[in-house]
Amino acid sequence: MTASRTPRRAALAVAALVAALALSACGGGAAPSTPNTDPVSGGTLTFGRVASANDLDLHQQITANNAFAIDKVFEPLVAFDEQGEIGPWLADYEVSDDGLEYVFTLRDGLQFSDGSDVVPEDVVFSLNRHLELGGPLPLEAPIASIEASGDREVTIALSGPYTPFLSELASFSNGILPADFGGASEEEFFERPIGTGPFAVSEWDPNGDLVFVKNTHYWQEGKPYLDSLVYRFVADDTQLRQQLQAGQIDAIDTVPATNAAEIGATGGTVLSETPGWSTEQVFFNTQREEFADVHVRRAIAQALDRDGITEATTFGTAEVANALLPPTITYSADDSVEALEYDPEAARAELAESAYPDGFEVTLLIASGNAQRAQIAQIVQESLAKIGITVEIEQLDIAVFRERFFAYDFDFMLNSGQSDAPDPNGFITFQADPEGFSKSYWTHYTNERVTELMHEGRTTPAGAGREAIYGEIQQILADEVPYIPLFFPANLKATSEAVQGFAVLPNGSVRFQDVWLSEGA
C-alpha cells in the first residue's frame, strides 16, 4: 500500500458521511447551500449529458446513456439509496426462513403514468419478459415461479438459494411495465413507454435530446417537483461545463476531474462529488495472441504507475485501485489484495518470459471527447514504449467506440466497470463470466477457478465465507490481470445554485423526483 492511498480513503469516508447527512458532497467538503424553505414545485430543469439516450427498452440496455433515462420511467420492486442500502420501493416484501420464497406486496393505490392501476399481473409479465429475453443484465437467480398470489401480492419462488436476489431485483432492468405493453405493440410501447417512475417521455430524438414531463400519478406524494426534465445532448465535456457556467443548462452529468476544483470555486455553480461503484481500467482482448499471454499482461501491469496516473489525471478526486471492486461494494478486497506494483525492471523481466520478449505493436482504443482518458492513453503509450511495446492510440466517437468493443474489434482499451447494485456478484459476473452477456467485459478471459468461485458466491450466505470467496476471486484477477484496475473515480457532477435536492446514487444516476428549482431560477 502506498502512502498516497490513506488520505483518499479518508476522503471517501468523509464524502460518504456527508452524502448521508446532506444527500450530496460538494467542493471543499461542504454541502450545497439549501434555503430553509420547503421545496418549490414547477419549472424545467435541463440536464446536460455527453451521450444521447437511443433505446428505452429496459431489458435490452446497459450503458449509462440509456439506463439513467430508463430509470426515470420504470421502477423496480426494491431499490437502493444513496448509501447503497436496499429497501422497499414499489413493494414491501417478506422472505421465508429458507430464503426460497419472496412475497412482495405492492403499495396501495400504485398507478402507471397513464393513470391505470398497477396489479400483480404487471409484475409477473415484466419479470417473465426479462427472464425470457435475458439481455445484458439478466435475472440470474434460479426462479422457479412468479405468481400473482393476491390483489396486491406477488410470490416469487426460487429453486435454490441465491444470496444476491434482492440486489439483482434492485436494478433498473427489473422495472415494472404494464402487462402486454398496455395493449400497444412492443415497438410502439418503447417509443412512448409507460411506467411508475416520476417522469414520462414527451419528446425524444434518439440522436439528440429527450424531454420528460411530470408523472402526475406518481406514488410519492407531491413529487416530482419539476414540471419537466430535459436531457440535453452535448457531445463534449468541455462544452458541457461552458454551457453550465453560461447558464444555458442547469446541471451536467460529467465533470472532468481537472475541472472539479474550478467548478467548486466558481460562483453560481456547485460541484457534487460522491463515492461511486465504478473502476477505471485497462481492458485486454485476450483473443489477441499477445494478450492471451499472461506474461504480457503482467508486464504491462508492472510498467504502469497507477499512483502516478491517478495523481496526474484525477486531481485528488479518485483513489488508486489495487483490486477490481471499489471499496463501496460489499466484500471489496482493495485493502488486502496483493496487486502487481509499478516496477519497470520487473516488467521487462516478465515480458522476457513471454512469447514476445522483444515487444510488439498494438492499438489502444479510447472514446473521443474524454480528456482524462486521452491523457491516460498517452501515459500508457509512453510507459509501454520503455519496455519495447509500441502503442498506437485510436480515438473514436463514443457510439462507434462501443460498437467496436461490443464486436471484440480491439486490441486493448480504456473503459470503466460500473456496478448496478451494491452486491459484488453483478460486478464480478459482468467482468469474469466467460459465458455471460459480456464474455468477461468483452475480454474473453476465462479461469475455471474464478468461474467456480463466482457460482459459490451466489449461493453462500452473507458473512465471512462469502467474503473469503470474493477475496480469492479478486486476488486471482490481480495476478492474471485480464484488466488492470487503475483507480476508483468519484461521481463528479455539477449544478447551478438554483438546483436543490440533487441526490446522486452510487451507480451515478440522479433521483430527479427529489430535485427542485429555487424561486427566481
Side-chain angles (χ1 to χ4, degrees), residues 72-128:
K72 305 301 174 285
V73 177
F74 301 108
E75 297 178 312
L77 297 173
V78 296
F80 50 82
D81 60 18
E82 288 81 13
Q83 288 73 53
E85 296 294 326
I86 294 175
W89 198 252
L90 294 185
D92 288 319
Y93 60 88
E94 293 182 358
V95 185
S96 63
D97 291 341
D98 61 6
L100 299 181
E101 185 176 88
Y102 291 72
V103 179
F104 296 90
T105 303
L106 293 169
R107 291 181 179 276
D108 191 21
L110 191 64
Q111 294 181 318
F112 289 112
S113 59
D114 65 352
S116 61
D117 292 334
V118 179
V119 295
E121 287 74 17
D122 299 316
V123 177
V124 174
F125 173 81
S126 302
L127 298 183
N128 275 331

Side-chain angles (χ1 to χ4, degrees), residues 38 99-100 129 131 145 166 243 291 315 327 330 336 354 412 422 460 486 495 505:
D38 293 330
L100 299 181
R129 180 178 188 260
L131 282 171
S145 64
L166 286 176
Q243 290 190 27
F291 296 135
F315 302 89
T330 306
S336 58
S354 76
F412 70 144
T460 301
L486 298 175
T495 71
L505 296 170

Side-chain angles (χ1 to χ4, degrees), residues 158-223:
L158 305 184
S159 60
Y162 192 81
T163 305
F165 184 46
L166 286 176
S167 182
E168 200 168 83
L169 280 183
S171 168
F172 74 91
S173 61
N174 289 307
I176 305 305
L177 58 149
D180 299 317
F181 309 108
S185 70
E186 189 169 326
E187 182 179 359
E188 290 171 339
F189 179 82
F190 286 111
E191 288 176 354
R192 287 290 184 275
I194 294 168
T196 66
F199 295 95
V201 173
S202 173
E203 301 174 31
W204 177 31
D205 176 0
N207 297 307
D209 296 348
L210 173 59
V211 180
F212 296 101
V213 293
K214 176 178 185 172
N215 174 8
T216 57
H217 302 283
Y218 192 50
W219 57 273
Q220 292 191 40
E221 187 176 355
K223 297 181 183 181

Side-chain angles (χ1 to χ4, degrees), residues 247-494:
Q248 297 171 321
I249 53 182
D250 303 297
I252 59 176
D253 189 45
T254 303
V255 175
T258 185
N259 302 115
E262 171 195 345
I263 289 286
T266 300
T269 58
V270 178
L271 175 70
S272 171
E273 179 181 357
T274 57
W277 287 341
S278 66
T279 308
E280 190 73 11
Q281 300 168 68
V282 177
F283 290 87
F284 299 108
N285 182 353
T286 63
Q287 290 184 315
R288 297 289 192 264
E289 59 182 17
E290 295 89 349
F291 296 135
D293 191 325
V294 67
H295 294 294
V296 169
R297 303 196 304 265
R298 287 174 59 87
I300 291 175
Q302 293 173 99
L304 298 182
D305 180 0
R306 290 175 290 113
D307 289 88
I309 289 172
T310 304
E311 182 178 355
T313 65
T314 71
F315 302 89
T317 64
E319 177 185 7
V320 179
N322 272 342
L324 175 63
L325 294 179
T328 47
I329 297 289
T330 306
Y331 306 136
S332 167
D334 192 59
D335 281 336
S336 58
V337 156
E338 295 181 7
L340 294 169
E341 297 294 340
Y342 173 56
D343 187 338
E345 276 198 36
R348 283 187 280 269
E350 189 81 47
L351 192 64
E353 293 186 43
S354 76
Y356 307 92
D358 299 321
F360 51 91
E361 296 181 359
V362 69
T363 300
L364 176 63
L365 189 68
I366 64 172
S368 59
N370 187 314
Q372 183 185 65
R373 285 189 183 154
Q375 186 180 3
I376 295 171
Q378 291 174 353
I379 296 172
V380 171
Q381 183 182 55
E382 294 166 3
S383 300
L384 299 194
K386 295 176 182 177
I387 64 170
I389 299 176
T390 301
V391 176
E392 177 185 349
I393 300 170
E394 183 178 10
Q395 299 191 52
L396 297 173
D397 171 80
I398 183 67
V400 180
F401 170 74
R402 286 177 177 145
E403 289 175 4
R404 284 279 298 275
F405 78 77
F406 285 168
Y408 310 99
D409 184 13
F410 70 100
D411 295 337
F412 70 144
M413 68 171 173
L414 294 178
N415 211 337
S416 62
Q418 169 73 56
S419 183
D420 294 287
D423 189 273
N425 174 67
F427 206 123
I428 293 297
T429 295
F430 202 77
Q431 293 217 185
D433 185 355
E435 300 301 322
F437 170 82
S438 70
K439 303 293 187 292
S440 299
Y441 207 120
W442 295 274
T443 66
H444 275 276
Y445 169 73
T446 303
N447 179 292
E448 291 183 2
R449 177 58 178 163
V450 169
T451 301
E452 177 186 356
L453 289 166
M454 180 178 63
H455 287 288
E456 285 183 19
R458 294 170 182 168
T459 59
T460 301
R466 195 163 188 247
E467 182 176 14
I469 287 170
Y470 286 104
E472 184 177 347
I473 289 174
Q474 289 168 86
Q475 185 60 63
I476 293 171
L477 296 177
D479 291 337
E480 298 196 346
V481 284
Y483 17 76
I484 304 171
L486 298 175
F487 54 81
F488 305 121
N491 288 319
L492 298 175
K493 304 181 191 296

